Every structure is written in C-alpha cells, then in structure tokens.
Amino acid sequence: MASSLAGLPDFLIFFLVATLLVAIYLAIYTLATKHNEFALIRQNGISAATALGLSLVGFALPLASAIVHAQTIIDCIVWGLVALAVQILAYWLVRIVLPNLSQRIAAGEMAAALFLGAASLSAGIINAAAMTF
C-alpha cells in the first residue's frame, strides 16, 4: 500500500497548481471578454454558460497535456500559461469574425456561443496535441 501512495505528494502538487491555473484562467478570461459571464450564468444565461464551459474545456485539455508531459512544476506552469494565452487569442479571433460577439452572447444567442465554444475547444485540442516537449 505504501508504494501505491508514493506518488501522492506529486499528485497533490500538480493538482493544486492546476486548480490555481484554472482559477487564474477564469479570472483573466472573464476580464478579457466584453460580457460578464458569471452574471449572465447567474441569470440562467445558457449561451454564456455554453461559451465559458467549452472555453474551460479548451483550457483544461492542454493543461492536462502539460501535466502529463511536464518534467517539473515550472514546466507545467509555463505551458499552462501558454494554454491560457491560446484561449484568449481564440476569443479575440472569434471577435474578428463576429464583432458583436459579446452582445449576442449577452442576448442569449446560442449560435454565437456555440461558435465561440467550438473555436475555444478546437484551439485547446490543437494546443494539447502540439505540447510535445
């Protein structure tokens, strides 16, 4: 049993760092958008929940890849920050295609939310696959 728990300290460190990176991601991402995701979600805004939820998955996938490939916790943090930057870039690129993106999400339009969510998820999948350090 002792050998089964030998990796527990590393698990706890990586899990706590990943949880902190997710919190940082949510804080930065929601500041970068023009709409208030959490206020919209509190009002049962399905479009905001969909867009933010898929972007969170788009961040979590490369973060998981960073954890798997990281040699050190610093590697994990650096590549987690890269994943964060990629998600912000994906949001800005979608805003180029849909300049009124935030207004549409705030109005509850699912087409805009799903397009942003799909772009975020796609960026995350590609980002995770590219993390082969």
Side-chain angles (χ1 to χ4, degrees), residues 5-97:
L5 297 176
L8 186 59
D10 286 339
F11 162 79
L12 289 173
I13 291 168
F14 278 95
F15 185 81
L16 290 174
V17 166
T19 302
L20 178 63
L21 285 168
V22 167
I24 291 168
Y25 170 73
L26 287 171
I28 291 174
Y29 184 85
T30 56
L31 287 173
T33 62
K34 287 188 171 186
H35 54 282
N36 186 335
E37 284 91 348
F38 291 116
L40 292 168
I41 292 167
R42 282 186 204 99
Q43 297 169 358
N44 199 32
I46 303 299
S47 60
T50 300
L52 182 60
L54 288 171
S55 78
L56 183 58
V57 174
F59 174 71
L61 285 168
L63 181 57
S65 180
I67 291 168
V68 168
H69 293 98
Q71 298 297 313
T72 67
I73 200 68
I74 299 300
D75 286 343
C76 182
I77 292 168
V78 167
W79 287 103
L81 294 174
V82 168
L84 188 153
V86 168
Q87 287 301 308
I88 300 297
L89 178 63
Y91 169 74
W92 285 339
L93 289 173
V94 171
R95 276 190 47 204
I96 291 170
V97 176

Side-chain angles (χ1 to χ4, degrees), residues 89-126:
L89 178 63
Y91 169 74
W92 285 339
L93 289 173
V94 171
R95 276 190 47 204
I96 291 170
V97 176
L98 299 173
N100 59 348
L101 175 66
S102 288
Q103 295 86 351
R104 291 181 66 183
I105 290 173
E109 292 186 28
M110 285 300 295
L114 286 171
F115 182 69
L116 174 59
S120 298
L121 186 55
S122 298
I125 291 168
I126 293 166

